[in-house]
Amino acid sequence: MNVALFGGTYDPIHLGHLAVARAAAERFNLKQIHFVPAYIPPHKQKQAISSFGHRYTMISLATAGDPRFIPSLLESPDAIQRSGLDASYSFDTVRRMKSRLKKGDKLYFLIGMDAFADIAKWRNPVEVLRECEFIVANRPGYSLADVVKSLPKELQPTAEGTRPIEREKPRGALKLEGATIHLLEDVNEPVSSTEIRLAVGKRGQALELLVGDAVADYIRKLYLYKPTEPVQDEAGKQKSGLKDRGGLHVVGGREHQD
């Protein structure tokens, strides 16, 4: 069985995420895609994000209609604490997931091109690339050379080897010694968190068109992404006067995409 991890901050999950997941599932015959909300992302260390509970709930709502899509607790606060780590990292998540798979299962790591561009900055990037095959969803403006240049130096081909592909569009598969990267092209439904926050206060279906009906309803009922409305935190205590997001935490420690 082909299985994929699809990690991210998911603050919130939106229709762009689902479009990428559906395209990858069809192209690579993925029977399961595990949506893994990050607990403490390193690239968000000095920024506030919604609580893990809110983000996990929104993933559950957004993926309920597709049996291939599975909300994951691999990086829940409890899972990270049990592991003895102070943050969630892709290397550890991949290892935990592989320990749960059957002998004949194959693991992929689904990721957007923007996030893959920073892979050399990850914890143990070479080892992560060797643990599973990657599926990179392309974005307009990137070439195959951009994919290669994003790799850790240990896996990059020589300059002479890179030159012939400098202007090639990312497509097909890139097989290197120690890494296999599949390129998922023609999937481009950009949705930004800024757009979502702006849509929250608008009338009509602006928010639904970005995140879907169920997630939009949850955001409104819990007053997420509004500056002054009350919101219940994970302990059930009411907070008020929050800026930008409901159930906020200042975070750090993770490499995943939004």
Side-chain angles (χ1 to χ4, degrees):
M1 179 173 68
N2 291 343
V3 179
L5 290 173
F6 191 12
T9 307
Y10 294 121
D11 195 23
I13 187 170
H14 52 66
L15 298 185
H17 295 129
L18 299 178
V20 169
R22 282 192 293 268
E26 296 299 325
R27 168 89 175 268
F28 299 98
N29 193 29
L30 302 175
K31 300 303 182 182
Q32 294 182 358
I33 297 180
H34 294 253
F35 288 71
V36 187
Y39 175 41
I40 309 176
H43 67 289
K44 299 272 188 182
Q45 184 172 2
K46 295 182 180 179
Q47 299 182 42
I49 66 170
S50 300
S51 70
F52 183 91
H54 284 318
R55 292 181 288 123
Y56 178 82
T57 300
M58 288 187 282
I59 289 172
S60 299
L61 292 170
T63 60
D66 195 320
R68 299 170 299 182
F69 298 168
I70 301 172
S72 174
L73 292 171
L74 277 170
E75 295 186 4
S76 69
D78 287 344
I80 298 305
Q81 290 171 7
R82 286 195 303 269
S83 70
L85 300 171
D86 60 352
S88 54
Y89 294 96
S90 299
F91 174 74
D92 303 299
T93 301
V94 169
R95 286 284 182 89
R96 285 197 295 273
M97 187 66 193
K98 289 185 75 172
S99 71
R100 302 179 181 187
L101 298 179
K102 296 179 180 178
K103 187 176 180 180
D105 293 339
K106 184 174 183 178
L107 183 63
Y108 293 86
F109 195 109
L110 178 58
I111 186 172
M113 184 60 218
D114 287 347
F116 186 80
D118 290 327
I119 194 168
K121 301 175 184 177
W122 289 16
R123 182 186 185 190
N124 301 331
V126 175
E127 289 78 3
V128 175
L129 285 159
R130 287 175 175 165
E131 285 283 345
C132 60
E133 297 186 12
F134 271 61
I135 301 171
V136 179
N138 184 34
R139 290 281 299 274
Y142 285 98
S143 70
L144 192 57
D146 293 317
V147 176
V148 173
K149 290 175 182 177
S150 299
L151 293 168
K153 290 183 179 179
E154 298 92 322
L155 298 178
Q156 288 185 13
T158 63
E160 183 178 347
T162 304
R163 194 172 297 115
I165 62 174
E166 285 184 351
R167 296 185 180 181
E168 290 187 26
K169 294 182 179 180
R171 62 182 59 190
L174 184 64
K175 295 188 177 182
L176 303 169
E177 186 175 352
T180 299
I181 302 165
H182 303 274
L183 302 167
L184 182 65
E185 63 272 10
D186 302 325
V187 182
N188 181 37
E189 295 193 27
V191 179
S192 71
S193 58
T194 300
E195 286 181 272
I196 292 170
R197 288 195 296 272
L198 290 174
V200 169
K202 293 182 179 179
R203 295 182 179 179
Q205 299 294 305
L207 185 59
E208 281 78 359
L209 293 174
L210 297 174
V211 300
D213 292 346
V215 174
D217 189 49
Y218 183 86
I219 288 171
R220 290 195 177 104
K221 285 182 176 179
L222 274 295
Y223 299 107
L224 301 185
Y225 313 110
K226 285 189 175 182
T228 58
E229 300 290 352
V231 64
Q232 296 292 327
D233 67 11
E234 289 181 301
K237 297 177 181 179
Q238 191 178 78
K239 296 181 178 182
S240 62
L242 296 175
K243 297 294 183 180
D244 200 0
R245 293 184 173 103
L248 299 184
H249 299 278
V250 177
V251 299
R254 171 72 179 169
E255 328 95 330
H256 270 333
Q257 57 210 320
D258 289 339

